[in-house]
Amino acid sequence: MIISLLIIGGLVFLAFGGEILVRGAVGSARVLGVSPLLSGLVLVGFGTSTPELVTSLIAAMQNAPDIAVGNVVGSNIANILLILGITAAITPIYVRPQAIGRDMIALGASSVICLLAVVAGFIDRWFGLFLLALLGVYLVVTYLRERSHAAGDATRPPVDRDWKRLGRFALMTAAGIALTVIGARLLVGGAIELAEGLGMPQRVIGLTIVAVGTSLPELVACVVAALRRHADVALGNVIGSNIYNVFGILGITAAVSPIRIPPEIANLDIWVLLAATGLLALLLRTGGGLKRLEGAGFLLAYVAYTGFLLLA
């Protein structure tokens, strides 16, 4: 009974929080005069990654590296194959390749660095600080490039910075993030209790239930954005979240408590992440986005991957 209440309550918080979050983020972007893509990258993408941060930190400090690392790798896989798959199935995602070139380079670099860490089998405090430094560089470059493009784009309307409206939208964004985080924690807590009762191993719990559970804020935000025809926010959400998961979450977690990475992740899961990231980059570069059929293909790939984990 308690597990059922946790799961239902988590879903309610997630649905309500996701609606508020997207409205606040899009409104803030308009007031600030930045693109919805950048809003998705920073405000939504990083904000909705809070559950991954909390979960990985707690898992690392409780000597559960399988969950800490599996959470990050599994969340990044779920973000691309599951979340973008569902989003594209609802409404095709179109984007100019030039608009996301920098961000896809950062996403690819974060995936390769994650591969190196997994192969090495250990992330110490110094490497964690290095990852945080890379995150800082990425944020600075992103902001400067966005400001430069805005200044050189004569078609953009002049920005009317209504600070009261900005404050209201910022509060909506923060409230949406808080509600989705609470919802994710409730849902993940119930799911983990259920999985442990069924005897599932830690690595599988981390890669599936915890990973999907902590990615639920991204899922809800992306679905709401897709329904409201803000697919650029959804895409920015996933790209920003995946970059932050590696540079920010692994960085902070390792800086607080060095992580020993389970060798099983190097055998399969990291390669699935690299393949998903490469496929996403290829489709965005050559096709200018994701069509409904490609979204369905992403979903089938995720179902196959999850099924293999559960049956292996």
Side-chain angles (χ1 to χ4, degrees), residues 107-157:
L107 178 61
S110 70
S111 298
V112 171
I113 289 173
C114 188
L115 168 66
L116 296 176
V118 168
V119 171
F122 188 75
I123 304 178
D124 61 15
R125 286 191 170 90
W126 286 109
F127 194 76
L129 294 174
F130 171 69
L131 292 177
L132 291 174
L134 290 177
L135 178 63
V137 170
Y138 169 71
L139 288 174
V140 170
V141 170
T142 299
Y143 172 74
L144 293 177
R145 288 289 298 274
E146 176 71 17
R147 190 173 68 173
S148 173
H149 289 164
D153 188 354
T155 63
R156 283 198 184 187

Side-chain angles (χ1 to χ4, degrees), residues 216-229:
L216 282 174
E218 286 93 336
L219 174 59
V220 174
C222 284
V223 169
V224 173
L227 292 173
R228 292 185 169 276
R229 297 298 186 265

Side-chain angles (χ1 to χ4, degrees), residues 23-157:
R23 287 191 179 190
V26 172
S28 298
R30 287 173 178 165
V31 175
L32 291 171
V34 301
S35 67
L37 178 63
L38 180 64
S39 173
L41 279 165
V42 180
L43 290 175
V44 182
F46 289 4
T48 53
S49 287
T50 305
E52 285 94 332
L53 173 60
V54 174
T55 301
S56 290
L57 273 173
I58 293 174
M61 289 187 290
Q62 292 181 349
N63 197 30
D66 299 56
I67 290 182
V69 180
N71 175 34
V72 169
V73 174
S75 290
N76 281 15
I77 294 171
N79 283 348
I80 295 175
L81 297 180
L82 175 64
I83 294 177
L84 282 185
I86 292 175
T87 303
I90 294 173
T91 181
I93 301 172
Y94 297 109
V95 64
R96 290 184 300 108
Q98 299 86 349
I100 59 167
R102 173 199 64 240
D103 306 305
M104 289 307 301
I105 290 173
L107 178 61
S110 70
S111 298
V112 171
I113 289 173
C114 188
L115 168 66
L116 296 176
V118 168
V119 171
F122 188 75
I123 304 178
D124 61 15
R125 286 191 170 90
W126 286 109
F127 194 76
L129 294 174
F130 171 69
L131 292 177
L132 291 174
L134 290 177
L135 178 63
V137 170
Y138 169 71
L139 288 174
V140 170
V141 170
T142 299
Y143 172 74
L144 293 177
R145 288 289 298 274
E146 176 71 17
R147 190 173 68 173
S148 173
H149 289 164
D153 188 354
T155 63
R156 283 198 184 187

Side-chain angles (χ1 to χ4, degrees), residues 162-239:
D162 185 334
W163 299 110
K164 287 185 178 179
R165 288 182 65 217
L166 178 60
R168 187 167 66 250
F169 285 131
L171 284 175
M172 288 177 64
T173 304
I177 291 172
L179 288 173
T180 53
V181 169
I182 292 170
R185 294 301 293 168
L186 291 174
L187 183 57
V188 171
I192 289 177
E193 284 192 33
L194 179 62
E196 288 179 341
L198 296 174
M200 290 176 63
Q202 270 194 0
R203 169 177 163 267
V204 175
I205 293 175
L207 284 163
T208 55
I209 295 175
V210 177
V212 173
T214 54
S215 290
L216 282 174
E218 286 93 336
L219 174 59
V220 174
C222 284
V223 169
V224 173
L227 292 173
R228 292 185 169 276
R229 297 298 186 265
H230 291 299
D232 46 358
V233 173
L235 180 62
N237 176 18
V238 166
I239 294 174

Side-chain angles (χ1 to χ4, degrees), residues 14-27:
L14 283 166
F16 188 53
E19 174 71 18
I20 296 175
L21 173 58
V22 171
R23 287 191 179 190
V26 172

